[in-house]
Amino acid sequence: MSTSTTPRLNGPNRTGVAAARRATELGLDGSGRRGSWKGGAFRALLVLCLILAFVTLLAVIVQAFVRGLPRLDLDLITGMPSTLDRETSGMQSAIFGTIYVMAGVIVTVVPIGVSAAIYLEEFADHSRWWVRFIELNIQNLAAVPSIVFGILGLAFIVRGPLSLGPVAYAGSLTLALLVLPTVILAAREAIRAVPNSLRLGSLGLGATQWQTIWHHVLPAAVPGIVTGTILALSRAIGETAPLLLVGATVFVTYNPDGFFDGAYTVLPVQVFQWAVRPQEEFRVLAAAGIIVLLGVLLAMNSLAIWIRQRFTREL
Amino acid sequence: MSTITRPGPVPGGRAGTGLSLRASSPRWGEKAVVGWLLLCAAFSVLVTVGIVLSLVPPTVEFFRRVAPWDFFSTDFWAPTNAGNPGFGVLRLVVGTLNVTFWALLIAIPAGLGAAIYLSEYASSRSRRVLKPVLEVLEGVPTVAYGFFAMTFVTPLLREFWPTFLPRKLGEPPGIFSAASAGLVMGVMIIPTVASISQDAMSAVPSGLRQAAYGLGSTRMQVATRVVVPAALSGIVASFVLGISRAIGETMIVLLAAGASANLTFWPNDSVLTMTTFIARTSTGDIGHGTTTYYTIFAVGALLFVMTFVMNMISIALVRRFRETYE
């Protein structure tokens, strides 16, 4: 951007220089060195901050296991949710609902997200105001609260213009819009990481820009795109709030009839419904459901890491 | 903001240079593809337009029924009370800020500490291990955090509440409390704060650090008096984004903070937040077209505007620190 070679001494840079100067003054009077225990204590404090985060993660997992272990059985996977048979109630409908909803999310978000990323990385002229506007908009969309997407889904997809009704694909579409910015961001990074020599070589041999992208850039970027997309989808799988608004609310004791028919529920919503019931058996079920949910997420994360390591070659 | 020095988009056949670089055919297919790609990029704008369109008309309808003055300044919240309804959103905003405050009390120091450690102290090997674990933490479903808050943190707080504290602060919290939701939400936000702050800190040129080291500064002095001030705009941006996350979080407050719209900043009270109200009310059976129905959208619009302003501040701050060191 700014190509001036003179050091800029305004803005945060000046703050940095001033800070360095101050540190020097403080350091050279000898007081900084003598108090070396302070450095050790500070380091310990920082480590403590990280540990706080990790211990909580561990506590979430351990607590779910301890509570949910009695119900980690086959009934949990094969049984239908029931308010009567608390001992054998399961979440088959939620598992199938999640599969339906996630399939819908993948089909919707991947083509749109990757196309948008290709445009922004390969074709967009970043000096145009509308390109910057689109980028700003994506950045902002990534931080919009998920429940607002639920309102959007309720007003636009379930009722309103699309009026799909509370069906599985309405949930898919809502979640797809929610994770679209994440997918675009991940795909852009993967495309940006493709070395430029690949493009120049292809263009130099007379390929058109689209041929270059289709035959060379995209194949090289696929591992990165897949990895980023899996991570975005693992966010979508855990989302609860927007789905509460777009239909996955009632106690559903049968699998979805299809993408556009019938009621559905998903894992996190099922967990939520069990969690709010006062009976201990349902709390146990909720904990068991959380274990399954965390297991699915861990599997997806591992898959993403595996793909990253298996397919990323140095180009 | 392209970070790679690449000769931007290659002009397919822009006139002006004269001879042979112009494409030999119009390449309609290629133009159609680029058109489709642009459409997809512009789709995100359509989503934002959709959000605004789904919020504005019902909100306007709401304000035709309830005066804006009543919405923003009265201190009475009972939207479902048929005989004497009240729409003072102040109680929801205060409830939201209450939980947000306790969340940030955890997330800001811990997130900043974790970021300083990752950026200035950790070896590159341990960073490679620690960062993905933080990312996993970011990916834990919020309903799992909510369940954890409700069934683990709340009983713990009730058991070990510092009852020696004076007056109201010494009363142990009930089954629902702002403190329980806030503490767990704080841990949830740590990765957000940590990862953006760390990006900002690693963007500080190492020359600044080396200069300070060369003049005899200790590692702690370099971290706290050189790196943190130099990365301040990025760090503040991460705080702002953390606030916006806390305001918009739903499941944890839905499960742990309760539903009584108390006008309180005490941590041991139950509060109703804006997101909780939306989730609770829209999942119950309320008539389409009633004032209560429109209240959801009015509160949603307020939530959207609040987080939108926060996000814009955060984006502007990040942009500022990025430009400085390019």
Side-chain angles (χ1 to χ4, degrees), chain A residues 1 19 24 26 28 33 42 47 49 57 63 115 121 134 137-138 140-141 143 145 152 155 159 196 208-210 244-245 275 297, chain B residues 1 6-7 27 30 36 41 44-45 48 50 54 110 117 121 137 141 150-151 215-216 225 282-283 288 293 307-308 311 326:
Chain A
M1 306 276 184
T24 311
L26 291 165
L28 288 185
R33 287 279 163 206
F42 183 63
V47 174
C49 293
L57 178 62
Q63 193 243 5
S115 301
E121 279 302 311
I134 289 175
N137 184 64
I138 291 172
N140 179 58
L141 216 53
L152 170 73
R159 294 177 181 156
N196 208 24
T208 67
Q209 200 176 356
W210 176 246
L244 290 178
L245 268 67
L297 285 175
Chain B
M1 259 195 290
R6 184 203 313 159
R27 295 202 190 114
E30 193 132 328
W36 156 255
S44 69
V45 180
T48 309
S54 61
Y117 184 82
Y121 284 83
L137 201 68
M150 184 177 79
T151 61
L215 291 166
R225 290 172 193 167
S282 55
T283 51
H288 188 285
Y293 176 79
T307 51
F308 179 80
N311 298 340
E326 252 173 350

Short mmCIF file of all heavy atoms in Angstrom, two decimals, chain A residues 1 19 24 26 28 33 42 47 49 57 63 115 121 134 137-138 140-141 143 145 152 155 159 196 208-210 244-245 275 297, chain B residues 1 6-7 27 30 36 41 44-45 48 50 54 110 117 121 137 141 150-151 215-216 225 282-283 288 293 307-308 311 326:
data_model
loop_
_atom_site.label_atom_id
_atom_site.label_comp_id
_atom_site.label_asym_id
_atom_site.label_seq_id
_atom_site.Cartn_x
_atom_site.Cartn_y
_atom_site.Cartn_z
N MET A 1 0.83 -1.19 0.00
CA MET A 1 0.00 0.00 0.00
C MET A 1 0.88 1.25 0.00
O MET A 1 1.25 1.77 -1.03
CB MET A 1 -0.90 0.03 1.23
CG MET A 1 -1.72 -1.22 1.39
SD MET A 1 -3.21 -1.13 0.40
CE MET A 1 -4.00 -2.64 0.87
N ALA A 19 7.69 3.66 23.67
CA ALA A 19 7.71 2.60 24.67
C ALA A 19 9.11 2.01 24.80
O ALA A 19 9.57 1.73 25.90
CB ALA A 19 6.70 1.52 24.28
N THR A 24 14.00 1.44 27.95
CA THR A 24 15.43 1.64 28.07
C THR A 24 15.77 2.40 29.34
O THR A 24 16.61 2.00 30.13
CB THR A 24 15.93 2.44 26.86
OG1 THR A 24 15.43 1.83 25.70
CG2 THR A 24 17.42 2.46 26.83
N LEU A 26 14.08 2.68 31.97
CA LEU A 26 13.80 1.88 33.15
C LEU A 26 14.83 0.77 33.30
O LEU A 26 15.21 0.41 34.40
CB LEU A 26 12.40 1.28 33.04
CG LEU A 26 11.28 2.29 33.15
CD1 LEU A 26 9.98 1.68 32.68
CD2 LEU A 26 11.16 2.76 34.58
N LEU A 28 18.00 0.66 32.18
CA LEU A 28 19.41 1.01 32.38
C LEU A 28 19.71 1.53 33.78
O LEU A 28 20.86 1.66 34.14
CB LEU A 28 19.85 2.04 31.33
CG LEU A 28 19.99 1.44 29.93
CD1 LEU A 28 20.54 2.48 28.98
CD2 LEU A 28 20.89 0.22 29.92
N ARG A 33 16.81 -5.45 36.09
CA ARG A 33 17.58 -6.68 36.18
C ARG A 33 17.46 -7.33 37.55
O ARG A 33 17.33 -8.53 37.67
CB ARG A 33 19.06 -6.38 35.92
CG ARG A 33 19.35 -6.10 34.49
CD ARG A 33 19.46 -7.38 33.71
NE ARG A 33 19.35 -7.08 32.31
CZ ARG A 33 18.92 -7.97 31.43
NH1 ARG A 33 18.55 -9.17 31.82
NH2 ARG A 33 18.84 -7.67 30.18
N PHE A 42 5.83 -13.20 36.23
CA PHE A 42 5.03 -12.77 35.09
C PHE A 42 4.79 -13.94 34.13
O PHE A 42 3.68 -14.19 33.69
CB PHE A 42 5.75 -11.63 34.37
CG PHE A 42 4.99 -11.06 33.22
CD1 PHE A 42 3.77 -10.44 33.41
CD2 PHE A 42 5.50 -11.15 31.93
CE1 PHE A 42 3.07 -9.91 32.35
CE2 PHE A 42 4.79 -10.61 30.86
CZ PHE A 42 3.59 -9.99 31.08
N VAL A 47 1.34 -18.33 31.83
CA VAL A 47 1.05 -19.75 31.68
C VAL A 47 -0.28 -20.08 32.34
O VAL A 47 -1.10 -20.85 31.80
CB VAL A 47 2.19 -20.61 32.25
CG1 VAL A 47 1.83 -22.08 32.21
CG2 VAL A 47 3.47 -20.37 31.47
N CYS A 49 -2.85 -18.23 32.55
CA CYS A 49 -3.95 -17.81 31.68
C CYS A 49 -4.29 -18.92 30.69
O CYS A 49 -5.46 -19.24 30.45
CB CYS A 49 -3.57 -16.55 30.90
SG CYS A 49 -3.39 -15.11 31.93
N LEU A 57 -11.66 -26.56 29.34
CA LEU A 57 -11.97 -27.50 28.26
C LEU A 57 -11.99 -28.93 28.81
O LEU A 57 -12.92 -29.71 28.55
CB LEU A 57 -10.92 -27.38 27.15
CG LEU A 57 -11.07 -28.33 25.96
CD1 LEU A 57 -12.37 -28.08 25.25
CD2 LEU A 57 -9.90 -28.15 25.00
N GLN A 63 -16.66 -33.65 32.83
CA GLN A 63 -17.98 -33.57 33.44
C GLN A 63 -19.01 -34.28 32.58
O GLN A 63 -19.86 -35.02 33.09
CB GLN A 63 -18.35 -32.11 33.67
CG GLN A 63 -19.55 -31.94 34.58
CD GLN A 63 -20.70 -31.28 33.88
OE1 GLN A 63 -20.65 -31.02 32.68
NE2 GLN A 63 -21.75 -31.02 34.62
N SER A 115 -16.68 -20.07 -4.99
CA SER A 115 -16.78 -19.14 -6.12
C SER A 115 -16.46 -17.72 -5.68
O SER A 115 -15.71 -17.00 -6.34
CB SER A 115 -18.18 -19.19 -6.73
OG SER A 115 -18.49 -20.47 -7.17
N GLU A 121 -10.05 -13.38 -4.88
CA GLU A 121 -8.60 -13.55 -4.95
C GLU A 121 -8.05 -13.35 -6.35
O GLU A 121 -6.94 -12.86 -6.53
CB GLU A 121 -8.20 -14.94 -4.43
CG GLU A 121 -8.14 -15.04 -2.93
CD GLU A 121 -7.17 -14.06 -2.32
OE1 GLU A 121 -6.02 -13.98 -2.80
OE2 GLU A 121 -7.55 -13.35 -1.37
N ILE A 134 -17.67 -5.31 -0.46
CA ILE A 134 -18.00 -6.73 -0.31
C ILE A 134 -17.12 -7.36 0.78
O ILE A 134 -17.60 -8.10 1.63
CB ILE A 134 -17.83 -7.48 -1.65
CG1 ILE A 134 -18.93 -7.07 -2.63
CG2 ILE A 134 -17.86 -8.99 -1.44
CD1 ILE A 134 -18.77 -7.65 -4.01
N ASN A 137 -18.16 -6.26 4.12
CA ASN A 137 -19.44 -6.88 4.43
C ASN A 137 -19.24 -8.32 4.92
O ASN A 137 -19.87 -8.75 5.89
CB ASN A 137 -20.30 -6.85 3.18
CG ASN A 137 -21.66 -7.38 3.44
OD1 ASN A 137 -22.40 -6.80 4.21
ND2 ASN A 137 -21.97 -8.50 2.83
N ILE A 138 -18.34 -9.05 4.26
CA ILE A 138 -18.07 -10.43 4.67
C ILE A 138 -17.48 -10.45 6.08
O ILE A 138 -17.88 -11.23 6.93
CB ILE A 138 -17.13 -11.12 3.66
CG1 ILE A 138 -17.86 -11.34 2.34
CG2 ILE A 138 -16.63 -12.45 4.20
CD1 ILE A 138 -16.98 -11.82 1.23
N ASN A 140 -17.87 -8.28 8.40
CA ASN A 140 -18.89 -7.94 9.39
C ASN A 140 -19.85 -9.09 9.60
O ASN A 140 -20.24 -9.40 10.72
CB ASN A 140 -19.64 -6.69 8.93
CG ASN A 140 -20.73 -6.33 9.91
OD1 ASN A 140 -20.46 -6.09 11.06
ND2 ASN A 140 -21.95 -6.34 9.45
N LEU A 141 -20.21 -9.74 8.51
CA LEU A 141 -21.16 -10.86 8.58
C LEU A 141 -20.63 -11.97 9.47
O LEU A 141 -21.38 -12.67 10.15
CB LEU A 141 -21.41 -11.38 7.17
CG LEU A 141 -22.80 -11.87 6.82
CD1 LEU A 141 -23.83 -10.83 7.15
CD2 LEU A 141 -22.86 -12.23 5.34
N ALA A 143 -19.19 -11.76 12.14
CA ALA A 143 -19.33 -11.48 13.58
C ALA A 143 -20.75 -11.13 13.97
O ALA A 143 -20.99 -10.66 15.07
CB ALA A 143 -18.37 -10.37 13.99
N PRO A 145 -24.26 -11.95 15.44
CA PRO A 145 -24.71 -13.00 16.37
C PRO A 145 -25.55 -14.04 15.65
O PRO A 145 -26.35 -13.71 14.77
CB PRO A 145 -25.54 -12.25 17.39
CG PRO A 145 -25.18 -10.83 17.27
CD PRO A 145 -24.69 -10.61 15.89
N LEU A 152 -33.38 -14.01 10.61
CA LEU A 152 -33.38 -13.96 9.14
C LEU A 152 -34.04 -15.22 8.58
O LEU A 152 -34.89 -15.15 7.68
CB LEU A 152 -31.95 -13.84 8.63
CG LEU A 152 -31.73 -14.01 7.12
CD1 LEU A 152 -32.25 -12.80 6.38
CD2 LEU A 152 -30.27 -14.22 6.80
N ALA A 155 -37.82 -15.14 9.21
CA ALA A 155 -38.57 -14.16 8.43
C ALA A 155 -38.49 -14.42 6.92
O ALA A 155 -39.44 -14.16 6.20
CB ALA A 155 -38.07 -12.75 8.74
N ARG A 159 -40.87 -18.46 6.84
CA ARG A 159 -42.08 -17.75 6.40
C ARG A 159 -41.70 -16.96 5.16
O ARG A 159 -41.04 -17.47 4.28
CB ARG A 159 -42.58 -16.86 7.53
CG ARG A 159 -43.06 -17.71 8.68
CD ARG A 159 -43.51 -16.86 9.84
NE ARG A 159 -43.94 -17.73 10.93
CZ ARG A 159 -43.96 -17.38 12.20
NH1 ARG A 159 -43.58 -16.19 12.55
NH2 ARG A 159 -44.37 -18.23 13.12
N ASN A 196 2.60 -18.06 -7.10
CA ASN A 196 2.26 -17.31 -8.29
C ASN A 196 2.93 -17.87 -9.54
O ASN A 196 2.41 -17.72 -10.65
CB ASN A 196 2.68 -15.86 -8.08
CG ASN A 196 1.84 -14.91 -8.86
OD1 ASN A 196 0.71 -15.25 -9.21
ND2 ASN A 196 2.37 -13.75 -9.18
N THR A 208 -6.00 -19.40 -20.82
CA THR A 208 -6.76 -18.25 -20.37
C THR A 208 -6.75 -18.23 -18.84
O THR A 208 -6.34 -19.20 -18.20
CB THR A 208 -8.22 -18.30 -20.85
OG1 THR A 208 -8.85 -19.39 -20.19
CG2 THR A 208 -8.30 -18.48 -22.34
N GLN A 209 -7.23 -17.12 -18.32
CA GLN A 209 -7.17 -17.00 -16.86
C GLN A 209 -8.05 -18.05 -16.19
O GLN A 209 -7.67 -18.64 -15.18
CB GLN A 209 -7.61 -15.61 -16.44
CG GLN A 209 -7.12 -15.27 -15.06
CD GLN A 209 -7.47 -13.86 -14.67
OE1 GLN A 209 -8.01 -13.10 -15.46
NE2 GLN A 209 -7.15 -13.51 -13.44
N TRP A 210 -9.21 -18.32 -16.77
CA TRP A 210 -10.10 -19.30 -16.16
C TRP A 210 -9.51 -20.69 -16.27
O TRP A 210 -9.60 -21.48 -15.34
CB TRP A 210 -11.48 -19.24 -16.79
CG TRP A 210 -12.37 -20.31 -16.25
CD1 TRP A 210 -12.88 -21.36 -16.95
CD2 TRP A 210 -12.81 -20.46 -14.90
NE1 TRP A 210 -13.62 -22.16 -16.11
CE2 TRP A 210 -13.59 -21.63 -14.85
CE3 TRP A 210 -12.61 -19.72 -13.73
CZ2 TRP A 210 -14.18 -22.08 -13.68
CZ3 TRP A 210 -13.19 -20.17 -12.57
CH2 TRP A 210 -13.97 -21.33 -12.55
N LEU A 244 -33.17 -23.09 16.73
CA LEU A 244 -34.35 -23.01 17.60
C LEU A 244 -35.43 -22.17 16.93
O LEU A 244 -36.63 -22.41 17.09
CB LEU A 244 -34.00 -22.39 18.94
CG LEU A 244 -33.14 -23.19 19.90
CD1 LEU A 244 -32.85 -22.39 21.15
CD2 LEU A 244 -33.82 -24.49 20.27
N LEU A 245 -34.99 -21.15 16.16
CA LEU A 245 -35.95 -20.25 15.55
C LEU A 245 -36.52 -20.77 14.24
O LEU A 245 -37.60 -20.38 13.83
CB LEU A 245 -35.31 -18.88 15.30
CG LEU A 245 -35.46 -17.85 16.40
CD1 LEU A 245 -34.69 -18.27 17.62
CD2 LEU A 245 -34.99 -16.49 15.94
N ALA A 275 -31.49 -30.88 28.37
CA ALA A 275 -30.82 -30.15 29.45
C ALA A 275 -31.80 -29.31 30.27
O ALA A 275 -31.62 -29.14 31.47
CB ALA A 275 -29.72 -29.26 28.88
N LEU A 297 -17.24 -33.72 16.60
CA LEU A 297 -16.40 -32.54 16.33
C LEU A 297 -14.93 -32.91 16.31
O LEU A 297 -14.18 -32.47 15.44
CB LEU A 297 -16.64 -31.48 17.40
CG LEU A 297 -17.95 -30.73 17.26
CD1 LEU A 297 -18.15 -29.79 18.42
CD2 LEU A 297 -17.95 -29.97 15.96
N MET B 1 -5.77 -4.69 0.52
CA MET B 1 -5.08 -5.34 1.62
C MET B 1 -4.37 -6.61 1.19
O MET B 1 -4.21 -7.51 1.97
CB MET B 1 -6.09 -5.68 2.71
CG MET B 1 -6.04 -4.69 3.83
SD MET B 1 -6.88 -5.34 5.22
CE MET B 1 -8.53 -5.29 4.63
N ARG B 6 1.74 -9.71 -5.83
CA ARG B 6 1.43 -10.43 -7.05
C ARG B 6 0.89 -9.40 -8.03
O ARG B 6 0.16 -8.51 -7.63
CB ARG B 6 0.37 -11.48 -6.75
CG ARG B 6 0.07 -12.35 -7.95
CD ARG B 6 -1.29 -12.96 -7.86
NE ARG B 6 -1.55 -13.55 -6.55
CZ ARG B 6 -2.77 -13.75 -6.11
NH1 ARG B 6 -3.79 -13.38 -6.82
NH2 ARG B 6 -2.97 -14.31 -4.95
N PRO B 7 1.27 -9.50 -9.29
CA PRO B 7 0.71 -8.56 -10.25
C PRO B 7 -0.77 -8.81 -10.39
O PRO B 7 -1.18 -9.78 -11.00
CB PRO B 7 1.44 -8.90 -11.55
CG PRO B 7 1.94 -10.29 -11.37
CD PRO B 7 2.16 -10.47 -9.92
N ARG B 27 -14.47 -14.56 -25.87
CA ARG B 27 -14.50 -15.49 -24.73
C ARG B 27 -15.74 -15.26 -23.87
O ARG B 27 -15.63 -14.90 -22.69
CB ARG B 27 -13.24 -15.33 -23.87
CG ARG B 27 -12.00 -15.74 -24.61
CD ARG B 27 -10.91 -16.09 -23.63
NE ARG B 27 -9.65 -16.26 -24.33
CZ ARG B 27 -8.60 -15.46 -24.17
NH1 ARG B 27 -8.64 -14.49 -23.32
NH2 ARG B 27 -7.51 -15.67 -24.85
N GLU B 30 -15.95 -17.48 -20.66
CA GLU B 30 -15.14 -17.00 -19.55
C GLU B 30 -15.81 -15.83 -18.85
O GLU B 30 -15.82 -15.73 -17.62
CB GLU B 30 -13.78 -16.59 -20.08
CG GLU B 30 -12.77 -16.36 -18.99
CD GLU B 30 -11.45 -17.07 -19.28
OE1 GLU B 30 -11.47 -18.13 -19.91
OE2 GLU B 30 -10.43 -16.55 -18.87
N TRP B 36 -20.67 -15.20 -12.85
CA TRP B 36 -21.18 -16.08 -11.79
C TRP B 36 -20.36 -15.92 -10.50
O TRP B 36 -20.91 -15.84 -9.41
CB TRP B 36 -21.14 -17.54 -12.27
CG TRP B 36 -21.09 -18.55 -11.18
CD1 TRP B 36 -20.01 -19.28 -10.79
CD2 TRP B 36 -22.17 -18.94 -10.31
NE1 TRP B 36 -20.35 -20.10 -9.74
CE2 TRP B 36 -21.67 -19.92 -9.42
CE3 TRP B 36 -23.51 -18.55 -10.20
CZ2 TRP B 36 -22.45 -20.51 -8.44
CZ3 TRP B 36 -24.29 -19.16 -9.21
CH2 TRP B 36 -23.76 -20.12 -8.36
N ALA B 41 -19.79 -13.63 -4.92
CA ALA B 41 -19.15 -12.71 -3.98
C ALA B 41 -20.16 -11.68 -3.48
O ALA B 41 -20.17 -11.31 -2.31
CB ALA B 41 -17.96 -12.02 -4.64
N SER B 44 -22.99 -12.29 -0.43
CA SER B 44 -22.87 -11.97 0.99
C SER B 44 -23.53 -10.63 1.30
O SER B 44 -24.07 -10.44 2.39
CB SER B 44 -21.40 -11.94 1.38
OG SER B 44 -20.78 -10.83 0.79
N VAL B 45 -23.46 -9.71 0.34
CA VAL B 45 -24.13 -8.42 0.55
C VAL B 45 -25.64 -8.66 0.62
O VAL B 45 -26.35 -8.06 1.44
CB VAL B 45 -23.78 -7.44 -0.58
CG1 VAL B 45 -24.48 -6.11 -0.36
CG2 VAL B 45 -22.29 -7.24 -0.67
N THR B 48 -26.71 -9.66 4.03
CA THR B 48 -26.86 -8.52 4.93
C THR B 48 -28.14 -7.76 4.63
O THR B 48 -28.88 -7.38 5.54
CB THR B 48 -25.65 -7.58 4.79
OG1 THR B 48 -24.46 -8.35 4.93
CG2 THR B 48 -25.68 -6.50 5.84
N GLY B 50 -30.75 -9.02 3.37
CA GLY B 50 -31.82 -9.88 3.88
C GLY B 50 -32.02 -9.70 5.37
O GLY B 50 -33.16 -9.62 5.84
N SER B 54 -35.38 -8.29 6.94
CA SER B 54 -36.22 -9.09 7.84
C SER B 54 -36.39 -8.42 9.19
O SER B 54 -37.29 -8.76 9.94
CB SER B 54 -35.63 -10.49 8.01
OG SER B 54 -34.34 -10.43 8.56
N ALA B 110 -7.21 -13.01 30.76
CA ALA B 110 -6.72 -14.35 30.40
C ALA B 110 -6.37 -14.41 28.92
O ALA B 110 -5.34 -15.00 28.55
CB ALA B 110 -7.76 -15.40 30.76
N TYR B 117 1.89 -14.84 26.06
CA TYR B 117 2.70 -16.04 26.20
C TYR B 117 2.99 -16.66 24.83
O TYR B 117 4.12 -16.98 24.50
CB TYR B 117 2.01 -17.06 27.11
CG TYR B 117 2.87 -18.28 27.34
CD1 TYR B 117 3.88 -18.25 28.30
CD2 TYR B 117 2.73 -19.42 26.57
CE1 TYR B 117 4.71 -19.34 28.50
CE2 TYR B 117 3.55 -20.52 26.76
CZ TYR B 117 4.54 -20.47 27.73
OH TYR B 117 5.36 -21.53 27.91
N TYR B 121 6.77 -15.69 24.55
CA TYR B 121 7.48 -16.65 25.39
C TYR B 121 7.57 -18.05 24.79
O TYR B 121 8.58 -18.71 24.89
CB TYR B 121 6.81 -16.74 26.77
CG TYR B 121 7.12 -15.57 27.67
CD1 TYR B 121 6.41 -14.39 27.55
CD2 TYR B 121 8.13 -15.64 28.62
CE1 TYR B 121 6.69 -13.30 28.35
CE2 TYR B 121 8.41 -14.56 29.44
CZ TYR B 121 7.69 -13.41 29.30
OH TYR B 121 7.98 -12.33 30.11
N LEU B 137 -10.95 -25.27 21.52
CA LEU B 137 -11.73 -24.59 22.55
C LEU B 137 -12.76 -23.67 21.92
O LEU B 137 -13.90 -23.56 22.39
CB LEU B 137 -10.77 -23.77 23.42
CG LEU B 137 -11.25 -23.39 24.81
CD1 LEU B 137 -11.36 -24.60 25.66
CD2 LEU B 137 -10.28 -22.40 25.42
N PRO B 141 -19.25 -26.67 21.11
CA PRO B 141 -20.59 -26.12 20.92
C PRO B 141 -21.04 -25.35 22.15
O PRO B 141 -20.79 -25.78 23.28
CB PRO B 141 -21.47 -27.36 20.72
CG PRO B 141 -20.55 -28.47 20.44
CD PRO B 141 -19.23 -28.13 21.02
N MET B 150 -24.61 -24.70 33.71
CA MET B 150 -25.82 -24.97 34.48
C MET B 150 -25.60 -26.08 35.51
O MET B 150 -26.04 -25.97 36.64
CB MET B 150 -26.93 -25.37 33.51
CG MET B 150 -28.27 -25.60 34.14
SD MET B 150 -29.51 -25.96 32.88
CE MET B 150 -29.15 -27.65 32.55
N THR B 151 -24.91 -27.15 35.10
CA THR B 151 -24.85 -28.32 35.97
C THR B 151 -23.54 -28.45 36.74
O THR B 151 -23.41 -29.31 37.59
CB THR B 151 -25.03 -29.62 35.16
OG1 THR B 151 -23.98 -29.72 34.21
CG2 THR B 151 -26.37 -29.63 34.46
N LEU B 215 19.29 -2.74 24.55
CA LEU B 215 19.50 -1.70 25.55
C LEU B 215 19.36 -2.25 26.96
O LEU B 215 19.35 -1.49 27.92
CB LEU B 215 18.51 -0.56 25.32
CG LEU B 215 18.82 0.20 24.03
CD1 LEU B 215 17.65 1.07 23.64
CD2 LEU B 215 20.07 1.04 24.20
N GLY B 216 19.21 -3.55 27.08
CA GLY B 216 19.23 -4.15 28.41
C GLY B 216 17.88 -4.42 29.02
O GLY B 216 17.78 -4.67 30.21
N ARG B 225 6.11 -3.36 27.76
CA ARG B 225 6.32 -1.94 27.49
C ARG B 225 6.64 -1.65 26.04
O ARG B 225 6.65 -0.49 25.63
CB ARG B 225 7.42 -1.40 28.38
CG ARG B 225 6.94 -1.34 29.80
CD ARG B 225 8.02 -1.00 30.75
NE ARG B 225 7.57 -1.26 32.11
CZ ARG B 225 8.38 -1.30 33.14
NH1 ARG B 225 9.66 -1.13 32.97
NH2 ARG B 225 7.90 -1.53 34.34
N SER B 282 -39.46 -16.72 20.81
CA SER B 282 -39.77 -17.20 19.46
C SER B 282 -39.96 -18.71 19.43
O SER B 282 -40.53 -19.22 18.47
CB SER B 282 -38.66 -16.80 18.50
OG SER B 282 -37.44 -17.28 18.97
N THR B 283 -39.49 -19.43 20.46
CA THR B 283 -39.71 -20.87 20.45
C THR B 283 -41.00 -21.25 21.17
O THR B 283 -41.50 -22.34 20.99
CB THR B 283 -38.53 -21.63 21.09
OG1 THR B 283 -38.26 -21.03 22.35
CG2 THR B 283 -37.32 -21.58 20.21
N HIS B 288 -48.65 -15.00 15.52
CA HIS B 288 -48.07 -14.19 14.46
C HIS B 288 -48.87 -12.89 14.37
O HIS B 288 -50.09 -12.93 14.23
CB HIS B 288 -48.14 -14.97 13.15
CG HIS B 288 -47.40 -14.32 12.03
ND1 HIS B 288 -47.88 -13.22 11.39
CD2 HIS B 288 -46.22 -14.62 11.46
CE1 HIS B 288 -47.01 -12.87 10.44
NE2 HIS B 288 -46.01 -13.70 10.48
N TYR B 293 -44.89 -10.65 19.23
CA TYR B 293 -44.18 -11.16 18.05
C TYR B 293 -43.26 -10.09 17.48
O TYR B 293 -42.11 -10.35 17.16
CB TYR B 293 -45.20 -11.61 17.01
CG TYR B 293 -44.61 -12.07 15.70
CD1 TYR B 293 -44.06 -13.35 15.58
CD2 TYR B 293 -44.59 -11.23 14.60
CE1 TYR B 293 -43.52 -13.77 14.40
CE2 TYR B 293 -44.05 -11.64 13.40
CZ TYR B 293 -43.51 -12.91 13.30
OH TYR B 293 -42.97 -13.33 12.12
N THR B 307 -24.12 -4.95 17.84
CA THR B 307 -22.96 -5.76 17.43
C THR B 307 -22.35 -5.21 16.15
O THR B 307 -21.15 -5.29 15.95
CB THR B 307 -23.33 -7.23 17.25
OG1 THR B 307 -24.48 -7.31 16.41
CG2 THR B 307 -23.62 -7.89 18.56
N PHE B 308 -23.19 -4.64 15.27
CA PHE B 308 -22.67 -4.06 14.04
C PHE B 308 -21.69 -2.93 14.34
O PHE B 308 -20.59 -2.88 13.79
CB PHE B 308 -23.84 -3.53 13.20
CG PHE B 308 -23.44 -2.89 11.91
CD1 PHE B 308 -23.13 -3.68 10.81
CD2 PHE B 308 -23.36 -1.52 11.79
CE1 PHE B 308 -22.75 -3.10 9.62
CE2 PHE B 308 -22.99 -0.93 10.60
CZ PHE B 308 -22.68 -1.71 9.51
N ASN B 311 -18.50 -4.42 15.71
CA ASN B 311 -17.69 -5.05 14.66
C ASN B 311 -16.97 -4.01 13.82
O ASN B 311 -15.80 -4.18 13.47
CB ASN B 311 -18.55 -5.91 13.74
CG ASN B 311 -19.22 -7.03 14.48
OD1 ASN B 311 -18.78 -7.40 15.57
ND2 ASN B 311 -20.27 -7.56 13.93
N GLU B 326 3.22 -2.20 7.23
CA GLU B 326 3.40 -2.77 5.91
C GLU B 326 4.61 -2.16 5.22
O GLU B 326 4.94 -1.01 5.46
CB GLU B 326 2.15 -2.58 5.07
CG GLU B 326 1.44 -3.90 4.88
CD GLU B 326 0.12 -3.72 4.19
OE1 GLU B 326 -0.33 -2.59 4.02
OE2 GLU B 326 -0.47 -4.74 3.85
#
